[in-house]
Amino acid sequence: MTVATKKLSFAEYLQYDDGTDTVYELVKGKLIPMSLGTGKHSGITKFLERGFDDAIAKIVENWTTQRFAVGVRSPRGGRWDTSRIPDIVALPIPQWESLANREAVIEFNEPPPLLVVEVVSKSTQTTDYRSKRSEYAVLEIPEYWIVDPLQDVITVCTLVEGFYDATEFRGEESIISLTFPELALTAAQVLGD
């Protein structure tokens, strides 16, 4: 659903306040309200965030994962701006700390996050598989997970020469992540099956 307003610049988006608690993505200058999501959606993101945090502790990296807290400014054709808010973002702690006193949006001229995750819902299915996959590849995000409880599949997209190679994981298959090699999770565990 798109909010019926004039198109906004990125600067206007950062200042936008409609007096509600609604969180918006900016897509080609249009405000797109983010739905609250189902309990399963929230459960998946919390489970993954904990799993990533455990894997970070094992590999002793100075990284953090954040749920629904970091925007990623995204290039799109035309003159209107886009800024996505992934379900989970993994990034170095110094980069996270650099967002402390400004809008928590990773800009074009900043290093990309290490990994982003989108959990698919009926309303975001096409966007998660197509638009965001293209946008995140252009931003050179090394790894993009599409967690799809509707089709019981997790697609891990790994950046290779500017494009994503995708590997699907189902059921009891162990998920393979180049970013988190110590992650010991199956698709069924993540999807709550």
Side-chain angles (χ1 to χ4, degrees):
M1 178 174 108
T2 303
V3 175
T5 63
K6 70 176 183 88
K7 287 191 174 186
L8 302 177
S9 69
F10 185 68
E12 290 170 324
Y13 165 68
L14 292 179
Q15 299 301 315
Y16 184 78
D17 182 0
D18 63 2
T20 71
D21 291 335
T22 305
V23 176
Y24 297 94
E25 285 186 331
L26 183 69
V27 179
K28 293 192 267 186
K30 295 181 181 178
L31 294 173
I32 308 295
M34 295 183 63
S35 63
L36 186 56
T38 64
K40 184 167 190 162
H41 183 281
S42 181
I44 288 170
T45 57
K46 186 167 189 156
F47 180 81
L48 269 177
E49 182 185 39
R50 286 179 177 164
F52 291 147
D53 287 343
D54 289 347
I56 289 168
K58 287 179 185 173
I59 59 177
V60 193
E61 287 287 355
N62 194 25
W63 298 347
T64 183
T65 54
Q66 300 295 322
R67 289 185 306 138
F68 315 114
V70 178
V72 178
R73 192 160 178 198
S74 201
R76 294 286 295 236
R79 65 184 194 98
W80 294 105
D81 289 308
T82 294
S83 183
R84 301 292 189 177
I85 304 172
D87 291 321
I88 300 174
V89 174
L91 67 165
I93 288 176
Q95 186 175 22
W96 170 242
E97 290 172 345
S98 77
L99 301 173
N101 295 313
R102 65 179 177 97
E103 295 291 337
V105 177
I106 297 172
E107 290 281 355
F108 299 132
N109 62 344
E110 297 176 311
L114 305 165
L115 175 145
V116 294
V117 176
E118 297 286 2
V119 178
V120 175
S121 64
K122 287 181 183 177
S123 65
T124 66
Q125 197 166 19
T126 300
T127 302
D128 291 341
Y129 277 100
R130 296 182 57 89
S131 301
K132 291 181 182 179
R133 183 174 171 164
S134 297
E135 291 168 28
Y136 295 157
V138 168
L139 291 169
E140 299 182 347
I141 297 172
E143 196 166 306
Y144 170 40
W145 287 31
I146 305 168
V147 179
D148 190 341
L150 305 175
Q151 299 183 56
D152 286 327
V153 64
I154 296 171
T155 305
V156 175
C157 301
T158 306
L159 194 66
V160 178
E161 296 180 9
F163 296 95
Y164 281 127
D165 287 345
T167 305
E168 292 184 348
F169 300 93
R170 297 177 185 274
E172 296 304 318
E173 293 176 327
S174 294
I175 299 168
I176 298 169
S177 167
L178 296 180
T179 306
F180 293 104
E182 298 296 321
L183 193 69
L185 296 175
T186 67
Q189 287 175 305
V190 173
L191 295 165
D193 295 341

